[in-house]
Amino acid sequence: MAAVSDRLPAFPWDKLEPYKKTAAAHADGIVDLSVGTPVDPVPQLIRHALIEAADSPGYPTVWGTVALRDAITGWVRGRLGASTAEHRNVLPVVGSKELVAWLPTQLGLGAGDKVAYPRLAYPTYEVGARLCGAEAVVYDDPTELDPAGVKLLWLNSPSNPTGKVLAKEELVRIVAWAREHGILLFSDECYLELGWEAEPVSVLHDDVCGGSYEGIVAVHSLSKRSNLAGYRAAFVAGDADVLGELLEIRKHGGMMTPAPVQAATVAALGDDAHVEEQRERYAARRAALRTALEAHGFRVEHSEASLYLWVTRDEPCWDTVAHLAGLGILVAPGDFYGEAGARFVRVAFTATDERVEAAVKRLG
């Protein structure tokens, strides 16, 4: 039973527990800026759609309802600039983390295959490689990789943890390189709607992929844009052959988005007003925290998009975590995301306005 778990790294968040206890002991309570979980209410129109679909006694389908596929394809065309997307180019998934973790396995990868991802990255890319027994390799520029054996290439723009955004020209170059070498490219774009100092672009945009989705797939989530982390609402879009294969595998695995969540997703993708309202909340929190952190002696790097500030005091990240925990503020150490983050911390701005205000006062 331990054979598979032995392939995996230690769960990083467990290491943060002592610092969480320190922060929680603050007289005014903890300000938790570590995980980045949404705290604002689920928009009313989404809740209404969920409730209206609550009487769903039958099994949902893995591919989703026609209404869901219509909503996803419409959003992909309008928001991502993928003008020729059709139903065969989309597939709902049960939250994006599930997809990331199990994708290499579902693609049939294993020993002798390589899964590549950024040097600073969401830890689940590595987990996915380890689960299937593939080799995990990191890169600074994917086009500098030795393509031999690389079967899956992960992009992440905007980046978690750094907030870095890949320019359209970079995406064009990387897509061309991956296609030249027959490497399947998956682009994690879950923070695409949260650009602040740069406008993120999808690999599915006509100007990036040339109107063809061959060899490329984009991953999207409603967790951050619509406060639906608790709903596990996400989808992938792109190469019809790849998604068709995943659909067949996921049918056998019973990986179905619950019917009420499918209805809620339709409502969420059909409304832009709640997305803009949430952006405004995050923009205000981001500005307040950035100003306070810089005044406290931090340097902010990248952070032009996403829900995080990537900051440093030019010291080991765990020293920074301890310092902030002493102020009652909990953040994520940068080495959770790779050795290159060893002198940074990731600061989420997903706390409530009241908690963000408390953090600003403490930093002052």
Side-chain angles (χ1 to χ4, degrees), residues 37-43 46 222-231 274 277-278 281-282 285 307 350:
T37 188
V39 298
D40 299 301
V42 173
I46 300 175
L222 280 72
S223 293
K224 307 302 193 290
R225 73 185 291 279
S226 300
N227 298 333
L228 296 188
Y231 284 46
H274 79 276
E277 289 174 10
Q278 191 60 43
R281 294 187 189 105
Y282 284 143
R285 294 166 186 166
L307 288 178
T350 52

Side-chain angles (χ1 to χ4, degrees), residues 5-18 20 35 97 101 122-124 126-127 130 318 333 335-337:
S5 63
D6 284 348
R7 300 176 194 165
L8 304 179
F11 189 64
W13 294 96
D14 292 343
K15 294 172 61 179
L16 205 55
E17 281 302 312
K20 187 174 184 178
V35 177
K97 183 170 185 174
Y122 183 46
T124 313
E126 178 187 0
V127 167
R130 289 191 180 211
W318 287 99
D335 65 3
F336 276 11
Y337 308 95

Side-chain angles (χ1 to χ4, degrees), residues 62-82:
V62 173
W63 203 16
T65 62
V66 172
L68 177 59
R69 282 178 266 141
D70 281 343
I72 296 174
T73 54
W75 187 85
V76 166
R77 290 173 190 158
R79 182 64 183 85
L80 301 186

